[in-house]
Amino acid sequence: MLSLTDSLRISSPLSDSGLSFLSQTGSRTSCQLKFVRCRQARVWRCRCSATEQPQPQRRKQRTEKYKQSEEEKGIDPVGFLSKYGITHKAFAQFLRERYKSLKDLKDEILTRHFSLKEMSTGYELMGMHRNMQHRVDFLEWAPGARYCALIGDFNGWSTTGNCAREGHFGHDDYGYWFIILEDKLREGEEPDKLYFQQYNYAEDYDKGDTGITIEEIFKKANDEYWEPGEDRFIKSRYEVAAKLYEEMFGPNGPQTEEELEAMPDAATRYKTWKEQQKKDPASNLPSYDVVDSGKEYDIYNVIGDPESFKKFRMKKPPIAYWLETKKGRKGWLQKYMPALPHGSKYRVYFNTPNGPLERVPAWANFVIPDADGMQALAVHWEPPPEYAYKWKHKLPVKPKSLCIYECHVGISGQEPKVSSFNDFISKVLPHVKDAGYNAIQIIGVVEHKDYFTVGYRVTNFYAVSSRYGTPDDFKRLVDEAHGLGLLVFLEIVHSYAAADEMVGLSLFDGTNDCYFHTGKRGHHKFWGTRMFKYGDLDVLHFLLSNLNWWVEEYHVDGFHFHSLSSMLYTHNGFSSFTGDMDEYCNQYVDKEALLYLILANEVLHALHPNVITIAEDATLYPGLCDPTSQGGLGFDYFANLSASEMWLALLENTPDHEWCMSKIVSTLLGDRQHTDKMLLYAENHNQSIFGGRSFAEILIGNSLGKSSISQEALLRGCSLHKMIRLITSTIGGHAYLNFMGNEFGHPKRVEFPMSSNNFSFSLANRRWDLLEDDVHYQLFSFDKDMMDLDKNGRILSRGLANIHHVNDTTMVISYLRGPNLFVFNFHPVNSYERYIIGVEEAGEYQVTLNTDENKYGGRGLLGHDQNIQRTISRRADGMRFCLEVPLPSRSAQVYKLTRILRA
């Protein structure tokens, strides 16, 4: 039994499934055209049979082919364990069982969908779509509903005016509901003469309104396309049938059974007929002769000469004439009134065993979650093509390293209000470009009802938040960012969803298990959110399509997957982890969630090779960034959450002289086997949004200038602020992240409007005016030069750092990365005039960045004569040569090898 989505996709021009349709018995009928040689003549055989190759057999063949292709690819379910020398039998067995479950899941998917690509493009059918045949189609999944209708301002909110009707693909066995909204004829207009009349609405909307009638197009096609004699049976389609009838039952036909002679075989009849027609002109003869072979599997044998056959093969189908029958948008508006005009507000109405429900459609792409205190509603977004946004810029080239600027649109302005997409475009994007970052990561852009949740309790997964603007406004934001050479990442929350019933997915169809698990497993233990049922094919269809939707519709370049630990474990990650491998394969691990993440990465990277996926997992699940073919989850990067927690603990709880250099280095590097895939940040939005303080607030307080803080405290705060950011950005892998405003030391935390602060916006903004203050401008200048250092010296894109000097007594850390030498002196008091640091290459090293410079708010203790240091032929730190460098307290310098000297 096929689902409704399969049935609809069969007739969709987007389908690549070939020629297939449903027979009356519900079985799949296939039509195949085969060319063979028969009796030394060219024969075209058309075989049509509903039982020629049963669907299960075709699926079995497809599955076997899939399995063979998997073996050819050399897939190893435990490959990354062997790569890193990990020997753990229980986890290895878990990976093998998980891979088997993945294959079974893919096989199950292929019984419902033609391919994984088709499964991840559900937005092409689901939700509201303009059909070219002057109508709007609506498709929704609600298996627990008994009745489905659309209500809105377009029909007076009637629950019976536009409902799913039986016999019109209204409802199928999988719970999909299909509703057609027919455009209304204007007064005085007549219905289209062509039954399947189509209109151009968006693409080529200005074509087709030439005034040429359907009859004129058909006449033109017959005159231009068909050659003399070819259209004989088109113009007189009943001629052959009439002649056969007259011959059999006419007055000159056989009157008795005896007169009805035995019918000759097909070949004899063909030769006889050919002899009778030999004197006729060629123009009167059809190109092909129809002969019945009398065999069950062949209804017709169409025999023709090679020249006619070649001519037929060279003839192109008359698609151009069919396209010419399409009318333009102007003709459509003259004849019809749109059934669902642009901007119409609507909801979906269900009748369930528990009573009637009104819901916002799950696939709606524009939603008003709280309309003046009224119930949430969806908005039909279909702007006229002349006003719809048109993309202007190409996608930026994927960089070898990432410097990400994390931001929130709503708090990006300086005014006490919710900022818009347009405000962000005009104020923030130029700043990000000037600061030297090459990507932005936007949080809270997917629709959510409660603003104070920062966007993490998502209610409508296919809609941009209406509080910031329209879908076209967000497209413009992404396009303008691409024009500046910035990648755009979206923080996606598929680990849980809002528990709101009126606007979200919870109890969507009246049942508790539509999109989410039932019972305790369906609720987050501490956050009150709902947990997805990742093992359900329709839920996978929804989530995978959602990822593809943001890439296809809005051209985003990647995703930051939020809080994976909430979905990977039934305890939602709130458990103590010791690092033992058993914790990653015990009964608390959600295998279905793991399979979804594998599918998500496989689908995204297959459809969009340049897309970037980032995993946020506090438990660091093994294989996060390893290929799925080797047993990994397939992410490109993973966020090191421990680094920011370490810096916060040091700043708040540990005196400066007790900082441990070894601990700092080990935390920043994490597991050395995966450092190259690590995304590091000193502080992100967590430090300044969720009840915490930014590092600048801890170090220099809420002051806006030097007057309210001592010079010594200000110097300490600014020095540590710069050093922490420099070592975090350069010691790890190929990616670094910074939250909006922290680059210039934003001194205040973020607090969203809520009842506890009387819904105040005083802390829900960014103080861009602080850049006019000396202290904050100096911090920004350093951060900008730090980004330029990476841009010009390709620091992050080089190999991993060679950390060769870590001294807990002197509190000095030094490492090499390419030709660059990084030296940090974290000691709060001690300065060193000639500190020995080992290097591998002999030559001259020049200072390219110094945190203690006056222009960065430092003391300027290094003179110009000390900017260039020459190596000494002495072994140090396991290196052949060394440098004697001056190290002021609480300062860091970056040296670059500018001249190589031969030993």
Side-chain angles (χ1 to χ4, degrees):
M1 183 68 180
L2 289 181
S3 70
L4 180 57
T5 53
D6 290 334
S7 305
L8 293 175
R9 192 172 294 277
I10 288 168
S11 60
S12 170
L14 300 170
S15 174
D16 56 355
S17 60
L19 181 62
S20 59
F21 53 90
L22 287 177
S23 67
Q24 294 180 352
T25 61
S27 61
R28 181 81 69 174
T29 304
S30 62
C31 293
Q32 300 174 333
L33 302 181
K34 295 185 178 180
F35 293 94
V36 299
R37 288 188 178 275
C38 180
R39 298 181 183 179
Q40 306 302 321
R42 184 77 68 173
V43 179
W44 180 19
R45 291 183 177 176
C46 178
R47 303 192 302 177
C48 183
S49 174
T51 59
E52 178 185 335
Q53 189 176 12
Q55 183 69 8
Q57 184 179 353
R58 288 173 47 197
R59 290 173 182 164
K60 182 178 179 181
Q61 292 178 355
R62 181 167 53 188
T63 302
E64 293 176 353
K65 182 179 180 181
Y66 166 76
K67 292 179 179 178
Q68 293 174 0
S69 63
E70 291 293 313
E71 294 174 357
E72 293 172 358
K73 293 177 183 177
I75 292 178
D76 185 0
V78 296
F80 80 90
L81 295 182
S82 304
K83 177 181 177 181
Y84 302 124
I86 301 175
T87 56
H88 193 278
K89 292 184 178 179
F91 188 69
Q93 181 62 25
F94 176 82
L95 291 180
R96 293 187 179 94
E97 293 176 357
R98 190 183 74 186
Y99 177 67
K100 182 179 182 301
S101 299
L102 178 64
K103 292 197 299 181
D104 294 340
L105 177 60
K106 290 181 177 179
D107 292 342
E108 186 180 1
I109 289 173
L110 294 179
T111 63
R112 289 270 303 274
H113 301 271
F114 295 111
S115 64
L116 286 176
K117 176 182 178 181
E118 186 265 338
M119 186 187 190
S120 60
T121 53
Y123 51 84
E124 294 178 352
L125 288 177
M126 301 297 295
M128 199 76 71
H129 292 281
R130 167 62 60 179
N131 191 293
M132 298 189 73
Q133 295 176 13
H134 52 81
R135 72 174 198 248
V136 175
D137 296 340
F138 176 78
L139 189 63
E140 188 62 86
W141 180 63
R146 295 177 176 177
Y147 173 85
C148 178
L150 280 175
I151 60 175
D153 53 12
F154 63 93
N155 65 1
W157 301 94
S158 170
T159 60
T160 58
N162 301 98
C163 61
R165 295 177 294 171
E166 296 296 334
H168 292 76
F169 294 113
H171 185 214
D172 72 350
D173 293 342
Y174 294 101
Y176 286 87
W177 297 87
F178 183 54
I179 300 175
I180 297 177
L181 304 178
E182 295 281 356
D183 293 336
K184 301 176 182 178
L185 274 172
R186 295 186 183 273
E187 187 176 355
E189 294 289 340
E190 296 181 358
D192 293 307
K193 295 182 179 179
L194 189 63
Y195 181 75
F196 294 106
Q197 178 65 61
Q198 295 187 347
Y199 290 87
N200 298 313
Y201 299 104
E203 298 179 1
D204 299 329
Y205 64 92
D206 55 344
K207 298 181 180 179
D209 293 322
T210 56
I212 302 177
T213 63
I214 298 296
E215 291 79 4
E216 291 174 331
I217 295 176
F218 285 170
K219 184 178 184 304
K220 177 183 176 183
N222 289 331
D223 293 342
E224 296 179 357
Y225 186 77
W226 300 109
E227 296 184 11
E230 287 185 337
D231 60 345
R232 172 183 172 189
F233 293 103
I234 295 177
K235 294 180 179 179
S236 305
R237 62 185 67 185
Y238 300 113
E239 178 181 344
V240 174
K243 286 185 176 181
L244 288 174
Y245 184 87
E246 181 181 358
E247 182 179 341
M248 293 295 296
F249 306 105
N252 298 323
Q255 302 299 316
T256 62
E257 244 183 77
E258 289 75 13
E259 296 180 11
L260 183 62
E261 301 176 356
M263 183 175 292
D265 61 274
T268 304
R269 295 201 315 273
Y270 169 71
K271 293 177 181 178
T272 304
W273 181 86
K274 200 71 174 176
E275 182 66 23
Q276 294 173 353
Q277 305 293 333
K278 64 180 181 180
K279 295 183 179 180
D280 288 1
S283 61
N284 290 346
L285 294 175
S287 301
Y288 296 90
D289 306 330
V290 181
V291 179
D292 184 3
S293 65
K295 296 182 180 179
E296 292 183 1
Y297 61 84
D298 265 338
I299 298 177
Y300 295 111
N301 279 352
V302 184
I303 305 176
D305 62 280
E307 289 297 324
S308 297
F309 179 77
K310 182 179 179 182
K311 187 177 179 181
F312 176 81
R313 289 293 301 271
M314 296 296 293
K315 202 174 191 66
K316 297 181 179 180
I319 297 178
Y321 300 101
W322 175 74
L323 293 176
E324 198 172 346
T325 63
K326 292 184 179 181
K327 296 182 180 180
R329 184 179 181 87
K330 181 179 178 182
W332 168 60
L333 291 175
Q334 288 177 350
K335 182 180 286 289
Y336 293 98
M337 290 185 296
L340 192 67
H342 169 62
S344 297
K345 299 176 178 61
Y346 68 97
R347 289 192 290 268
V348 60
Y349 173 89
F350 297 124
N351 194 351
T352 71
N354 297 324
L357 298 173
E358 292 184 15
R359 294 287 187 258
V360 174
W363 299 72
N365 60 6
F366 194 30
V367 176
I368 301 178
D370 190 4
D372 299 327
M374 304 294 288
Q375 186 176 346
L377 45 83
V379 178
H380 181 55
W381 188 256
E382 187 188 1
E386 56 268 26
Y387 297 108
Y389 188 80
K390 297 176 177 60
W391 296 94
K392 298 182 295 184
H393 303 289
K394 296 181 179 180
L395 299 179
V397 178
K398 183 179 179 180
K400 294 182 179 180
S401 62
L402 294 176
C403 294
I404 304 174
Y405 194 84
E406 188 182 36
C407 41
H408 186 284
V409 173
I411 66 171
S412 63
Q414 187 169 323
E415 298 79 12
K417 66 173 187 177
V418 178
S419 297
S420 66
F421 290 131
N422 292 329
D423 295 333
F424 188 91
I425 293 171
S426 61
K427 298 177 182 179
V428 181
L429 284 184
H431 172 80
V432 177
K433 179 64 176 178
D434 181 54
Y437 292 83
N438 59 14
I440 61 173
Q441 178 174 299
I442 308 179
I443 63 176
V445 76
V446 186
E447 189 60 86
H448 50 287
K449 180 182 178 182
D450 299 318
Y451 185 48
F452 69 87
T453 64
V454 199
Y456 288 116
R457 296 184 182 180
V458 176
T459 53
N460 309 97
F461 286 80
Y462 285 81
V464 296
S465 181
S466 59
R467 57 176 57 89
Y468 309 137
T470 67
D472 281 7
D473 292 336
F474 184 62
K475 288 181 180 179
R476 178 169 169 258
L477 187 156
V478 176
D479 200 20
E480 293 296 332
H482 287 166
L484 295 174
L486 301 173
L487 300 180
V488 179
F489 298 150
L490 196 66
E491 185 159 22
I492 199 77
V493 186
H494 281 185
S495 47
Y496 51 83
D500 193 286
E501 299 174 11
M502 302 306 294
V503 62
L505 299 177
S506 184
L507 300 179
F508 182 71
D509 62 350
T511 63
N512 199 28
D513 61 346
C514 183
Y515 285 93
F516 309 108
H517 289 290
T518 58
K520 293 183 179 180
R521 189 178 178 186
H523 297 266
H524 196 284
K525 292 181 178 296
F526 297 95
W527 298 342
T529 50
R530 298 302 309 271
M531 308 305 297
F532 281 107
K533 187 168 51 175
Y534 300 103
D536 190 285
L537 291 190
D538 296 289
V539 176
L540 287 178
H541 182 223
F542 178 83
L543 294 176
L544 291 175
S545 298
N546 184 237
L547 295 174
N548 199 22
W549 159 263
W550 289 104
V551 180
E552 290 287 350
E553 182 70 12
Y554 294 106
H555 294 190
V556 300
D557 302 287
F559 298 97
H560 183 112
F561 284 75
H562 171 74
S563 188
L564 295 188
S565 56
S566 296
M567 61 187 291
L568 292 180
Y569 309 95
T570 56
H571 52 62
N572 305 131
F574 285 86
S575 178
S576 59
F577 277 82
T578 63
D580 189 86
M581 295 296 290
D582 288 327
E583 297 171 334
Y584 302 113
C585 57
N586 58 23
Q587 69 272 23
Y588 301 110
V589 177
D590 191 337
K591 187 185 294 185
E592 294 174 349
L594 288 169
L595 297 181
Y596 162 68
L597 293 176
I598 294 173
L599 283 178
N601 279 294
E602 286 187 352
V603 168
L604 282 174
H605 289 101
L607 298 181
H608 314 283
N610 290 327
V611 78
I612 296 174
T613 57
I614 304 171
E616 178 190 304
D617 177 23
T619 67
L620 294 180
Y621 194 87
L624 272 177
C625 295
D626 289 293
T628 58
S629 61
Q630 300 301 306
L633 300 186
F635 288 96
D636 296 296
Y637 296 94
F638 73 95
N640 184 342
L641 306 180
S642 302
S644 60
E645 296 173 358
M646 174 200 68
W647 289 124
L648 186 63
L650 290 176
L651 293 176
E652 290 187 332
N653 306 319
T654 308
D656 294 0
H657 64 276
E658 295 182 5
W659 287 18
C660 177
M661 301 298 104
S662 301
K663 180 181 178 181
I664 291 175
V665 171
S666 62
T667 304
L668 292 177
L669 291 180
D671 186 353
R672 291 283 294 185
Q673 295 173 338
H674 306 92
T675 303
D676 59 326
K677 298 288 187 178
M678 184 167 56
L679 167 67
L680 269 175
Y681 53 86
E683 54 179 336
N684 71 344
H685 64 272
N686 290 326
Q687 275 68 44
S688 55
I689 288 182
F690 294 111
R693 295 183 296 167
S694 68
F695 287 0
E697 185 176 359
I698 297 173
L699 291 168
I700 61 178
N702 290 329
S703 64
L704 301 182
K706 300 180 181 180
S707 58
S708 58
I709 186 173
S710 66
Q711 186 65 28
E712 181 180 354
L714 181 64
L715 180 62
R716 170 188 175 271
C718 292
S719 298
L720 289 178
H721 191 275
K722 291 176 289 187
M723 293 179 68
I724 288 173
R725 303 176 74 80
L726 179 61
I727 191 173
T728 305
S729 65
T730 57
I731 198 174
H734 305 310
Y736 171 73
L737 179 143
N738 165 68
F739 181 64
M740 176 176 58
N742 290 342
E743 72 278 5
F744 61 83
H746 199 282
K748 292 187 177 182
R749 69 186 187 279
V750 176
E751 188 175 282
F752 282 79
M754 61 185 75
S755 58
S756 60
N757 59 15
N758 293 324
F759 300 96
S760 171
F761 282 87
S762 60
L763 294 177
N765 53 29
R766 295 281 88 178
R767 295 291 306 275
W768 301 107
D769 59 319
L770 294 179
L771 288 171
E772 299 177 1
D773 179 80
D774 289 342
V775 174
H776 297 284
Y777 181 75
Q778 289 164 354
L779 293 177
F780 172 70
S781 297
F782 174 79
D783 194 86
K784 180 179 178 181
D785 290 347
M786 186 175 70
M787 292 296 105
D788 289 340
L789 178 69
D790 174 65
K791 182 179 179 181
N792 299 327
R794 295 179 290 115
I795 304 295
L796 298 185
S797 60
R798 296 182 183 275
L800 299 180
N802 179 10
I803 303 171
H804 62 287
H805 187 97
V806 180
N807 193 316
D808 290 324
T809 303
T810 60
M811 299 184 69
V812 174
I813 299 173
S814 179
Y815 52 88
L816 291 161
R817 198 158 187 179
N820 302 285
L821 172 67
F822 296 82
V823 186
F824 296 82
N825 179 15
F826 279 95
H827 204 288
V829 178
N830 293 347
S831 298
Y832 309 100
E833 293 185 3
R834 304 177 68 180
Y835 195 92
I836 297 176
I837 297 293
V839 291
E840 189 64 32
E841 291 286 346
E844 291 183 351
Y845 288 77
Q846 183 176 359
V847 175
T848 56
L849 188 65
N850 177 18
T851 63
D852 197 46
E853 282 194 56
N854 290 325
K855 65 178 182 178
Y856 303 140
R859 295 161 293 180
L861 297 179
L862 290 185
H864 292 289
D865 57 334
Q866 295 176 302
N867 283 340
I868 298 179
Q869 299 291 331
R870 180 171 292 190
T871 55
I872 300 174
S873 297
R874 184 197 310 171
R875 296 189 65 85
D877 301 325
M879 305 287 182
R880 294 182 299 168
F881 307 96
C882 70
L883 292 172
E884 292 183 346
V885 297
L887 291 181
S889 60
R890 281 203 192 101
S891 70
Q893 293 78 37
V894 182
Y895 292 86
K896 183 177 182 180
L897 178 62
T898 57
R899 181 184 175 190
I900 298 177
L901 299 178
R902 302 300 178 188

